[in-house]
Amino acid sequence: TPTPTPIPSNIVINEVYYNPDAAHMSGQQPDENNFEWIELYNPTNSTVNIKKWGIADNSGTTSTITNSNFDLAPGAFVVLGKTGDIQSIWGISSDKYIAIGQIFGSGLANGGDRAILKDDNGNIIDQMSYGSDITILNPSVPTVAEGHSLERNPAGKDTNTNADFVDRNPPTPSI
């Protein structure tokens, strides 16, 4: 089945942190999937409510971002992660973080995966793939070292190619 083409929209998956390093995890035997995060960015001039929007990986499982109203203002970022631990570890302000209560799909694979943003009707708003996953971007975005992230440069750049993303070290959630 071919991958659906995203519908026109400007909210983007701006940064993906899929291979956490020990400095950005907590607990005695942390599961790195619990400390992954995805940053969304609104480069438009309009506020967008992301209530009941979803985020998915290659597993096909879509996680609801929030069941509450959440207005993403023009030029604003929001970081999505499993728990509030991520917010504390990275020092992200509460107005720029949503704890979605679960990992992204089956967890973002370090060797290759995809991130897919869907609106409240299930339409694909933005998507990207990295590493061995060439289903969305072919060639995909190259993988990065543990503790680094993949980030659009500049923020919001969206040409639907792997050239939109750079290796960011250190990662910059909500900045």
Side-chain angles (χ1 to χ4, degrees), residues 31 33-34 36-38 54-65 80-82 100-109 113-116 118 130:
D31 176 347
N33 293 329
N34 292 329
E36 298 167 339
W37 49 261
I38 294 174
I55 194 88
D57 72 346
N58 67 356
S59 71
T61 300
T62 300
S63 303
T64 300
I65 294 171
L80 314 174
K82 181 179 178 185
I100 65 171
Q102 56 191 322
I103 63 173
F104 302 108
S106 59
L108 299 173
D113 210 332
R114 66 191 86 140
I116 303 166
K118 299 178 181 181
Y130 62 89

Side-chain angles (χ1 to χ4, degrees), residues 51-111:
K51 178 181 180 178
K52 298 200 181 218
W53 281 34
I55 194 88
D57 72 346
N58 67 356
S59 71
T61 300
T62 300
S63 303
T64 300
I65 294 171
T66 180
N67 286 311
S68 302
N69 285 318
F70 189 95
D71 290 330
L72 192 56
F77 298 90
V78 65
V79 177
L80 314 174
K82 181 179 178 185
T83 69
D85 291 345
I86 295 167
Q87 181 184 352
S88 300
I89 290 168
W90 288 93
I92 303 168
S93 65
S94 59
D95 61 330
K96 294 182 178 181
Y97 185 79
I98 298 174
I100 65 171
Q102 56 191 322
I103 63 173
F104 302 108
S106 59
L108 299 173
N110 295 343

Side-chain angles (χ1 to χ4, degrees), residues 7-171:
I7 63 168
S9 178
N10 292 313
I11 302 298
V12 296
I13 296 167
N14 202 65
E15 190 171 3
V16 180
Y17 183 69
Y18 63 86
N19 192 356
D21 60 357
H24 295 100
M25 294 190 285
S26 63
Q28 296 217 323
Q29 294 181 318
D31 176 347
E32 75 172 35
N33 293 329
N34 292 329
F35 297 93
E36 298 167 339
W37 49 261
I38 294 174
E39 176 190 79
L40 305 180
Y41 174 61
N42 180 359
T44 73
N45 294 323
S46 301
T47 297
V48 178
N49 188 324
I50 59 171
K51 178 181 180 178
K52 298 200 181 218
W53 281 34
I55 194 88
D57 72 346
N58 67 356
S59 71
T61 300
T62 300
S63 303
T64 300
I65 294 171
T66 180
N67 286 311
S68 302
N69 285 318
F70 189 95
D71 290 330
L72 192 56
F77 298 90
V78 65
V79 177
L80 314 174
K82 181 179 178 185
T83 69
D85 291 345
I86 295 167
Q87 181 184 352
S88 300
I89 290 168
W90 288 93
I92 303 168
S93 65
S94 59
D95 61 330
K96 294 182 178 181
Y97 185 79
I98 298 174
I100 65 171
Q102 56 191 322
I103 63 173
F104 302 108
S106 59
L108 299 173
N110 295 343
D113 210 332
R114 66 191 86 140
I116 303 166
L117 177 65
K118 299 178 181 181
D119 69 11
D120 55 343
N121 292 315
N123 298 308
I124 295 173
I125 300 303
D126 190 36
Q127 55 188 344
M128 61 83 71
S129 59
Y130 62 89
S132 61
D133 190 322
I134 58 171
T135 56
I136 296 167
L137 300 176
N138 188 4
S140 65
V141 181
T143 57
V144 295
E146 179 182 272
H148 296 212
S149 67
L150 294 171
E151 183 178 40
R152 289 185 190 269
N153 187 28
K157 178 181 179 185
D158 191 7
T159 64
N160 292 318
T161 68
N162 68 353
D164 294 345
F165 291 88
V166 297
D167 178 334
R168 180 66 64 210
N169 183 33

